Amino acid sequence: MSNIAPELIASNKCFDGWLKRYKHVSTATGTEMVFAIYLPPQAQVQPVPVVYWLSGLTCTDENFMQKAGAQRIAAELGIAIVAPDTSPRGTDLPGEHDSYDFGSGAGFYINATEAPWADHYRMYDYVTEELPTLIEQHFPVTDKRAISGHSMGGHGALICALKNPGRYASVSAFAPINNPSQCPWGEKAFTGYLGTDPEAWKDWDTCALIAKADSKIPILVDQGGADDFLTEQLRPEALQVACTSAGHPLELRLQPGYDHSYFFIASFIEDHLRYHARVLMED
């Protein structure tokens, strides 16, 4: 890990804390990466724990920070929020920008094994190893971490927590892609990034990981009942079945009338941040 500090892009005071954007050269992706961090006012006097937020298809680090309304409650609770980008940028690989659900903006938080994606699309390593190391080295934070996300990012949060027992104190998700090896979004992405063997996909599928998980980290999921992607892409019933079969603790809340948008996230983000804070603040 380089000792070079990330370069500040923008800074805005918010609820007596600071929302900042940085860029740095990533060893995991081999590209320049951008991330956003909200540092609550408590970080000015002592290190604070961190919630990592993983965004969904087509998003960047900015969507959550601008739309979720999370800073007010993060400032009250004394927790930092870190939001990375959703994929490498600037590689211009063949077909990378052809569709919204593969390539640019659609890294799926996995490590690609297929050419030409394998050299750069290593968002799993970036999110779970490189970025936390960078954050803990250069910012006033502790090594207590939680992780959450939305849609593709909800999938990312769940697999990151399940594949790394003990690395995250808690995990939650909004409308996650629960069973990507069995839905169109996931099948397209996994085929491109990982190849055509479905066995290779299981290492990146929440439902498959739960079946063999040694850790039983509790999972909180909110799902909008009016989500257009509910049946075909998200499949929360598959998550429910997997957790029930494995005896894995799950709180799955179906929220009637809510869709897939940031209006949904903004409505329940306080619940999730308080959920994480209860665990992060434990001695």
Side-chain angles (χ1 to χ4, degrees):
M1 177 65 198
S2 172
N3 288 321
I4 299 175
E7 180 182 344
L8 181 66
I9 301 172
S11 181
N12 301 96
K13 193 169 186 179
C14 186
F15 294 101
D16 288 327
W18 289 92
L19 173 60
K20 300 186 177 186
R21 296 186 76 213
Y22 289 87
K23 64 181 179 180
H24 71 108
V25 176
S26 166
T27 55
T29 67
T31 66
E32 187 174 82
M33 295 294 291
V34 174
F35 66 87
I37 181 169
Y38 177 70
L39 292 167
Q42 294 87 339
Q44 298 171 32
V45 295
Q46 65 184 30
V48 297
V50 183
V51 173
Y52 287 85
W53 173 269
L54 306 184
S55 292
L57 291 167
T58 75
C59 291
T60 69
D61 63 286
E62 293 187 286
N63 295 75
F64 177 82
M65 292 300 191
Q66 293 182 2
K67 296 180 178 180
Q71 291 89 344
R72 177 185 60 81
I73 192 65
E76 175 194 327
L77 296 171
I79 55 178
I81 304 175
V82 172
D85 204 344
T86 49
S87 71
R89 305 287 175 170
T91 56
D92 291 326
L93 299 172
E96 186 176 24
H97 312 306
D98 290 354
S99 60
Y100 79 95
D101 54 357
F102 184 81
S104 183
F108 267 80
Y109 305 101
I110 66 176
N111 287 339
T113 56
E114 293 292 298
W117 313 101
D119 288 342
H120 301 290
Y121 276 68
R122 305 189 64 81
M123 290 299 295
Y124 174 78
D125 281 354
Y126 179 72
V127 165
T128 61
E129 297 178 11
E130 183 175 9
L131 184 59
T133 300
L134 181 75
I135 296 297
E136 289 162 23
Q137 184 176 12
H138 293 289
F139 296 92
V141 302
T142 70
D143 61 358
K144 298 196 74 171
R145 315 173 199 96
I147 193 164
S148 186
H150 172 231
S151 195
M152 177 186 72
H155 143 78
L158 294 174
I159 65 168
C160 287
L162 291 167
K163 289 168 74 68
N164 295 279
R167 185 168 300 180
Y168 302 98
S170 53
V171 61
S172 72
F174 290 79
I177 304 172
N178 294 290
N179 196 190
S181 63
Q182 300 295 322
C183 77
W185 278 341
E187 290 170 0
K188 178 178 180 177
F190 285 4
T191 299
Y193 296 138
L194 303 172
T196 57
D197 182 6
E199 285 299 309
W201 302 354
K202 291 182 179 179
D203 284 342
W204 307 101
D205 186 300
T206 294
C207 291
L209 291 171
I210 284 173
K212 60 179 184 180
D214 294 327
S215 170
K216 300 294 186 183
I217 184 171
I219 297 171
L220 170 64
V221 170
D222 272 312
Q223 172 62 60
D227 192 318
D228 289 340
F229 306 111
L230 178 61
T231 302
E232 184 179 27
Q233 304 285 7
L234 306 178
R235 307 193 68 237
E237 71 284 353
L239 178 65
Q240 182 74 74
V241 169
C243 287
T244 299
S245 298
H248 198 110
L250 167 69
E251 183 177 4
L252 174 59
R253 309 191 305 190
L254 188 67
Q255 305 291 0
Y258 285 91
D259 58 20
H260 199 68
S261 72
Y262 265 85
F263 296 110
F264 164 54
I265 297 170
S267 299
F268 297 100
I269 191 62
E270 180 172 347
D271 284 0
H272 284 242
L273 291 180
R274 292 193 183 280
Y275 172 82
H276 293 299
R278 284 194 293 271
V279 182
L280 290 170
M281 300 303 180
E282 291 178 352
D283 293 331

